[in-house]
């Protein structure tokens, strides 16, 4: 046996089949969307881009069950580790189990520049790497907090003109999490993303929401670094906590449009076109109108079945188009599925690969 074939016989099967330069993007349709305002018949008018542009090209899982804690950071961290994380949602802590970013970088020997998270709130600053022994920040993802960058770029006086972009979260307005210092800093904007602070703040002035700011950063990352594993957490719709239904719907409609724009960017960027698989899923739902323990769409506190059952779509060159999968799957299945696609072994993750899309 030649050395070459000996090496090949030990390579993971999927890695051998994987086309060179394959990219994966995960977009969380967050924070907190109910079926009633999205894929239920009465909600479909709010999501024309998902319905008309993405669904016809996607494999769509209609029942994705989340049995974890329904707080945005802890739930998104659980999506990224494949284990229901149990830490306090409002604590500046790292996930306890290895993240998808660490598995990918360690198993595939990838550099730090190859995996990034764009996150909506300072409370997500530790999501790029776990506290798990043998893993950790040296193998994690770079985390960009666009609001933090914008706040750092503005003087106190200018900040009031950008207040609509700077509100850190919608659930506990007075929570101000400590940043760890590992997150992407303003002085890196020019060197890493080829974006001057003046350009960044001038562009921000034209944007309507924090998620638009995040997608602007995502596009810059795609152009400048073309990471193979890119995770963006959208969050505008969580303005529902303020109790105004029309703002919640506006958030969903904007998220729908931005998902369409992210996919268009993946189709038009040469580094991504034809080799990108994108997963879109909510972090979880919101309370049902009928549960006496809740206030309907406003919060996600009762843990009722509606708030735990959402959906996921996968779209990409190897994914079957216009297919619905109605068997119940778990939100924890995402990481093992990404492992099968990108050729890494998420040994601590509790879910199973979704065979329909790998
Ligand atoms: Zn919320």
């Amino acid at each position: 046996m030649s050395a070459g074939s000996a090496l090949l016989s030990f390579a993971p099967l999927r890695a051998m089949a994987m086309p060179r330069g394959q990219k994966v993007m995960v977009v969380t349709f967050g924070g907190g969307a109910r079926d009633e305002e999205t894929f239920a018949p009465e909600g479909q008018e709010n999501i024309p881009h998902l319905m008309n542009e993405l669904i016809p090209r996607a494999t769509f899982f209609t029942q994705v069950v989340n049995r974890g804690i329904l707080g945005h950071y802890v739930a998104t961290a659980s999506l990224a580790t494949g284990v229901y994380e149990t830490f306090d949602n409002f604590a500046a802590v790292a996930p306890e189990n290895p993240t998808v970013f660490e598995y990918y970088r360690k198993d595939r020997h990838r550099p730090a520049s190859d995996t990034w998270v764009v996150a909506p709130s300072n409370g997500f600053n530790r999501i790029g790497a776990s506290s798990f022994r043998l893993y950790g920040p040296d193998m994690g993802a770079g985390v960009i907090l666009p609001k933090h960058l914008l706040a750092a770029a503005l003087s106190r006086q200018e900040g009031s003109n950008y207040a609509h972009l700077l509100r850190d979260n919608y659930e506990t307005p007075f929570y101000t999490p400590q940043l760890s210092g590992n997150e992407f800093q303003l002085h890196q904007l020019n060197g890493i993303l080829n974006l001057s602070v003046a350009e960044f703040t001038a562009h921000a002035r034209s944007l309507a929401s924090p998620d638009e700011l995040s997608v602007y950063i995502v596009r810059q990352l795609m152009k400048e670094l073309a990471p193979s594993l890119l995770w963006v957490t959208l969050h505008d719709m969580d303005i529902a906590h303020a109790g105004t239904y029309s703002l919640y719907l506006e958030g969903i409609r904007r998220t729908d449009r931005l998902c369409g724009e992210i996919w268009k960017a993946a189709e038009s960027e040469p580094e991504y076109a034809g080799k990108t698989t994108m997963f879109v899923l909510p972090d979880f739902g919101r309370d049902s109108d009928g549960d006496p323990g809740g206030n309907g769409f406003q919060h996600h506190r009762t843990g009722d079945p509606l708030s735990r059952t959402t959906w996921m779509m996968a779209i990409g060159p190897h994914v079957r188009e216009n297919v619905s999968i109605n068997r119940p799957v778990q939100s924890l299945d995402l990481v093992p599925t990404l492992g099968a696609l990108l050729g890494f072994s998420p040994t601590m993750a509790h879910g199973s690969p979704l065979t329909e899309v790998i």
Side-chain angles (χ1 to χ4, degrees):
M1 199 193 286
S2 73
S5 59
L7 275 177
L8 278 178
S9 68
F10 287 103
L13 199 59
R14 186 72 207 182
M16 285 196 297
M18 200 173 67
R20 269 175 74 84
Q22 158 134 321
K23 310 282 191 191
V24 168
M25 297 170 66
V26 176
V27 181
T28 69
F29 195 91
R34 306 194 299 189
D35 280 357
E36 282 155 282
E37 288 83 28
T38 54
F39 283 101
E42 67 272 28
Q44 292 177 6
E45 64 178 14
N46 299 316
I47 51 167
H49 296 274
L50 295 186
M51 289 301 300
N52 303 323
E53 294 164 22
L54 300 186
I55 283 285
R57 300 187 52 194
T59 291
F60 184 60
F61 294 87
T62 60
Q63 286 189 73
V64 179
V65 179
N66 181 337
R67 297 192 173 85
I69 300 171
L70 303 185
H72 299 289
Y73 173 46
V74 66
T76 307
S78 302
L79 288 177
T81 62
V83 179
Y84 290 126
E85 297 289 328
T86 55
F87 57 80
D88 175 3
N89 184 59
F90 297 107
V93 296
E96 287 172 8
N97 297 278
T99 61
V100 62
F101 319 109
E102 294 155 272
Y103 288 129
Y104 171 64
R105 283 193 54 204
K106 189 174 188 190
D107 282 6
R108 300 302 314 276
H109 306 290
R110 301 302 301 165
S113 57
D114 205 31
T115 173
W116 288 88
V117 180
V118 180
S121 136
N122 288 346
F124 282 64
N125 74 93
R126 304 286 298 274
I127 197 168
S130 69
S131 55
F132 197 85
R133 201 170 59 88
L134 305 179
Y135 288 88
D138 287 349
M139 280 166 250
V143 177
I144 303 186
L145 307 168
K147 287 178 195 172
H148 166 64
L149 293 181
L150 185 60
L154 299 172
S155 68
R156 192 176 290 254
Q157 201 175 10
E158 283 174 311
S160 58
N161 296 327
Y162 294 80
H164 62 297
L165 300 180
L166 293 174
R167 186 164 160 187
D168 187 62
N169 76 82
Y170 300 106
E171 200 164 0
T172 55
F174 301 109
Y175 171 57
T176 49
Q178 290 294 312
L179 293 174
S180 63
N182 283 334
E183 65 283 340
F184 188 95
Q185 301 293 335
L186 189 65
H187 65 84
Q188 297 174 292
L189 203 57
N190 205 357
I192 296 182
L193 293 186
N194 196 21
L195 190 60
S196 74
V197 172
E199 224 180 322
F200 173 63
T201 50
H203 188 81
R205 193 184 290 276
S206 71
L207 301 177
S209 85
D211 284 349
E212 289 191 351
L213 187 66
S214 289
V215 172
Y216 175 55
I217 292 290
V218 163
R219 299 193 66 147
Q220 208 67 21
L221 271 168
M222 292 171 75
K223 268 197 204 82
E224 298 298 328
L225 296 178
S228 300
L229 178 55
L230 178 53
W231 183 296
V232 52
T233 290
L234 301 174
H235 202 72
D236 281 351
M237 68 187 72
D238 203 38
I239 198 165
H241 286 296
T244 308
Y245 190 68
S246 60
L247 290 180
Y248 165 57
L249 285 190
E250 188 184 301
I252 287 177
R253 289 179 179 139
R254 190 181 305 116
T255 306
D256 169 69
R257 171 171 59 77
L258 291 173
C259 287
E261 285 179 18
I262 293 170
W263 182 245
K264 277 200 186 95
E267 287 191 305
S268 60
E269 281 296 332
E271 288 282 341
Y272 288 85
K275 50 192 171 189
T276 299
T277 306
M278 179 170 83
F279 292 83
V280 183
L281 73 167
D283 43 1
F284 45 75
R286 308 189 83 84
D287 295 340
S288 76
D289 291 332
D291 191 321
N295 283 328
F297 77 93
Q298 188 174 2
H299 300 303
H300 36 83
R301 292 176 180 167
T302 63
D304 67 2
L306 194 70
S307 61
R308 296 193 171 278
T309 310
T310 59
W311 49 268
M312 178 165 70
M313 69 174 70
I315 178 167
H318 308 292
V319 176
R320 287 181 299 156
E321 296 189 343
N322 211 10
V323 172
S324 281
I325 309 292
N326 294 317
R327 71 178 177 96
V329 303
Q330 297 189 77
S331 54
L332 298 186
D333 295 334
L334 176 65
V335 168
T337 303
L338 299 178
L341 277 175
L342 286 170
F344 62 80
S345 301
T347 47
M348 307 290 293
H350 289 172
S352 307
L354 296 169
T355 52
E356 294 90 345
V357 292
I358 56 174

